[in-house]
Each structure stands twice: as C-alpha cells, then as structure tokens.
Amino acid sequence: QVQLVESGGGLVQPGGSLRLSCAASGSIFSISDMGWYRQAPGKQRELVATITRGGSRNYVNSVKGRFTISRDNAKNTVYLQMNSLKPDDTAVYYCNADALTGWGRGPYVTYWGQGTQVTVSS
C-alpha cells in the first residue's frame, strides 16, 4: 500500500504565501501523475494542479500565475507553492498520486492523502 502525508497548511493573510508538501511512502514501484485538489465547505472537490513524472503541468484557471506545482521523483514528493493567496483559496487541500506497487505489475492505483487545511483570512 501507499501512504500520502501532506504538510504545510495553515492560516495566512490575503496576499501571503504557503508551500504544501506531500510525501508518498510504502511499497512503491513507481509513481506517474501526482496532483493537488481542494475542497471548500459546501463545495465539491476540485482539481488545483497536476504534474506528470516528466514534469508536464496543468492548472485550474483560477490559480494560474499564482500557484506552482513541482515534484522530486527521488523523494516521491510533490509540492504546491501558493503565492498571492486569496480568501477564495480557503479549503482543505488533498494530494494524490497514481502509483504502481510491489513488483510493478499493473494497474496504477490512485492514492489520496488525508488533507491539510489552508485558511486565507485577515
């Protein structure tokens, strides 16, 4: 199995920055795509950003130019640098990873972290 542990959430003022980290551990053979999602109170979970193993990135329009996703394949870790934060960014942020476990026989399975709270408020 694979465990994902997020860190780096907290309370920040509008215009501030936070950096989220998500480390994957367990019986990992390889990880393909990794991503960040968020869920605000009363809303559905939405995609924030994804990154392939090769580094191709995809962002939801509302965070383009403000958030940057990156990863360290050697550490099985994905990051989300969030700048110019707005109150609308307040949500629980979840990471996920498509992982191949054990001896590498498929298929890839999507695993999720437990979430970390990000609150943007003055």
Side-chain angles (χ1 to χ4, degrees):
Q1 292 300 314
V2 177
Q3 297 79 42
L4 300 179
V5 178
E6 299 111 333
S7 60
L11 173 64
V12 63
Q13 293 186 342
S17 298
L18 282 175
R19 188 189 193 216
L20 306 183
S21 300
C22 172
S25 62
S27 181
I28 299 171
F29 182 84
S30 70
I31 296 177
S32 59
D33 295 353
M34 304 184 81
W36 288 96
Y37 289 70
R38 65 186 180 187
Q39 187 167 17
K43 295 186 178 181
Q44 291 187 333
R45 188 175 299 190
E46 66 168 355
L47 169 70
V48 177
T50 60
I51 185 168
T52 67
R53 186 171 183 84
S56 295
R57 298 169 172 85
N58 179 53
Y59 298 95
V60 67
N61 285 339
S62 60
V63 308
K64 285 182 180 178
R66 301 188 298 122
F67 291 10
T68 302
I69 189 171
S70 60
R71 65 189 282 175
D72 184 332
N73 291 331
K75 296 181 178 179
N76 290 328
T77 299
V78 63
Y79 306 96
L80 186 67
Q81 177 66 43
M82 305 186 293
N83 298 329
S84 302
L85 282 160
K86 305 175 181 179
D88 283 350
D89 295 319
T90 296
V92 178
Y93 283 70
Y94 300 89
C95 68
N96 76 354
D98 294 335
L100 205 55
T101 58
W103 294 104
R105 295 179 180 177
Y108 279 87
V109 175
T110 300
Y111 296 89
W112 291 88
Q114 81 289 350
T116 185
Q117 177 70 47
V118 171
T119 302
V120 185
S121 175
S122 56

